[in-house]
């Protein structure tokens, strides 16, 4: 078994977070959950990081929960079980609320929590050979910790089906459902991820963080006067920042903005 469940590599403002429990298809246990949570929190605080790519070693992106870990939790007292579940929920929250753009590079299986990881990331790029599922009901449990992110990705109606049937979802079907943004052959996966990263690096980092916060603020809300006022204040505040002034100046002067590396 790998002694290090996670590898983090940095290059040119891009952090690559790689799950390295290939021998168990990058299934979750306490060590991987803790390493992923800490890793994303650390990268979020690093001003040198512009984008985060989440990937998995071996044949799978992530097969979800390690069944040995699940067995241990099923035998644990309620309070210990609840504390462990909170740690899992905190992992998905840390990914979804990262101020940095996050990309899931999905190949092979993305099952249960693996589908949760793909859903929690901002962008999902998948191989045509990838397969997804919310398989929890097959084990007598529910996809609870991942539910906010999967429902956000595929909608309530589709989640109602897949949460109950635990059917395997092909990469093509995941693309049709809206979970997958970019679909490509396996040998083109890294190139597809690189194209998305390049597009992200061209944007202002503070603007991208503000864009994510904007979506959380307005999604699924009626367009009330309060929402209209909030959106006006957000753009007015952002327009006065040094980043916005630099972005506009760069455009008018037909040069790359300061945050774009040559």
């Amino acid at each position: 078994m790998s002694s290090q469940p996670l590898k983090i590599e940095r290059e040119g403002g891009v952090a690559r977070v790689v799950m390295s429990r290939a021998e168990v298809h990058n299934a979750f246990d306490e060590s991987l959950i803790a390493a992923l949570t800490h890793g994303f929190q650390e990268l979020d605080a690093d001003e040198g990081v512009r984008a985060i790519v989440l990937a998995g070693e071996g044949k799978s992106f992530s097969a979800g929960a390690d069944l040995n870990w699940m067995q241990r939790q099923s035998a644990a007292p309620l309070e210990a079980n609840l504390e462990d579940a909170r740690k899992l929920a905190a992992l998905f929250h840390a990914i979804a609320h990262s101020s940095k753009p996050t990309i899931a590079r999905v190949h092979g299986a993305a099952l249960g929590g693996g589908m949760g990881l793909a859903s929690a990331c901002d962008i999902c790029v998948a191989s045509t050979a990838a397969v997804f599922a919310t398989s929890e009901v097959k084990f007598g449990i529910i996809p609870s910790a991942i539910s906010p992110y999967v429902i956000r990705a595929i909608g309530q109606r589709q989640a109602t089906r897949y949460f109950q049937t635990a059917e395997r979802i092909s990469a093509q079907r995941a693309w049709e459902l809206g979970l997958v943004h970019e679909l490509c052959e396996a040998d083109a996966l890294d190139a597809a991820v690189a194209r998305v990263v390049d597009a992200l690096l061209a944007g202002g980092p503070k603007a991208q963080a503000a864009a994510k916060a904007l979506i959380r603020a307005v999604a699924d809300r009626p367009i009330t006067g309060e929402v209209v006022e909030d959106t006006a204040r957000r753009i007015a505040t952002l327009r006065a920042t040094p980043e916005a002034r630099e972005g506009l100046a760069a455009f008018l002067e037909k040069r790359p903005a300061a945050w774009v590396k040559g």
Side-chain angles (χ1 to χ4, degrees), residues 147-164:
S147 61
Y149 315 103
V150 176
I151 293 171
R152 180 183 64 178
I154 69 174
Q156 180 179 335
R157 182 66 171 167
Q158 297 295 345
T160 301
R161 171 181 176 173
Y162 292 110
F163 280 19
Q164 296 184 89

Side-chain angles (χ1 to χ4, degrees), residues 127-172:
S127 156
T128 52
V131 61
F132 301 83
T134 50
S135 47
E136 285 82 354
V137 293
K138 288 186 175 181
F139 306 105
I141 56 176
I142 54 175
S144 192
I146 69 173
S147 61
Y149 315 103
V150 176
I151 293 171
R152 180 183 64 178
I154 69 174
Q156 180 179 335
R157 182 66 171 167
Q158 297 295 345
T160 301
R161 171 181 176 173
Y162 292 110
F163 280 19
Q164 296 184 89
T165 65
E167 295 165 274
R168 294 293 178 98
I169 303 168
S170 70
Q172 175 66 32

Side-chain angles (χ1 to χ4, degrees), residues 105-228:
R105 177 201 181 276
V106 181
H107 74 291
L111 309 179
M115 184 167 170
L117 291 175
S119 301
C121 285
D122 299 327
I123 301 167
C124 178
V125 181
S127 156
T128 52
V131 61
F132 301 83
T134 50
S135 47
E136 285 82 354
V137 293
K138 288 186 175 181
F139 306 105
I141 56 176
I142 54 175
S144 192
I146 69 173
S147 61
Y149 315 103
V150 176
I151 293 171
R152 180 183 64 178
I154 69 174
Q156 180 179 335
R157 182 66 171 167
Q158 297 295 345
T160 301
R161 171 181 176 173
Y162 292 110
F163 280 19
Q164 296 184 89
T165 65
E167 295 165 274
R168 294 293 178 98
I169 303 168
S170 70
Q172 175 66 32
R173 180 61 176 151
W175 178 76
E176 293 167 356
L177 292 172
L179 170 59
V180 172
H181 293 86
E182 294 285 338
L183 189 60
C184 59
E185 296 299 323
D187 58 2
L189 189 54
D190 287 326
V193 170
R195 286 194 298 274
V196 174
V197 168
D198 286 346
L200 290 168
L201 294 180
K206 290 183 172 55
Q208 287 168 337
K212 294 176 70 167
L214 172 65
I215 293 167
R216 290 193 294 270
V218 304
D220 301 320
R221 291 184 61 186
I223 306 173
T224 61
E226 181 183 1
V227 169
V228 171

Side-chain angles (χ1 to χ4, degrees), residues 10 15 31 50 66 78 96 122 147 184 192 210 215 229 239 245 248:
R10 293 173 171 87
S31 63
R50 291 289 320 281
D66 185 310
L78 177 59
D122 299 327
S147 61
C184 59
I215 293 167
E229 175 65 15
R239 279 197 296 231
R245 289 195 291 269
L248 180 58

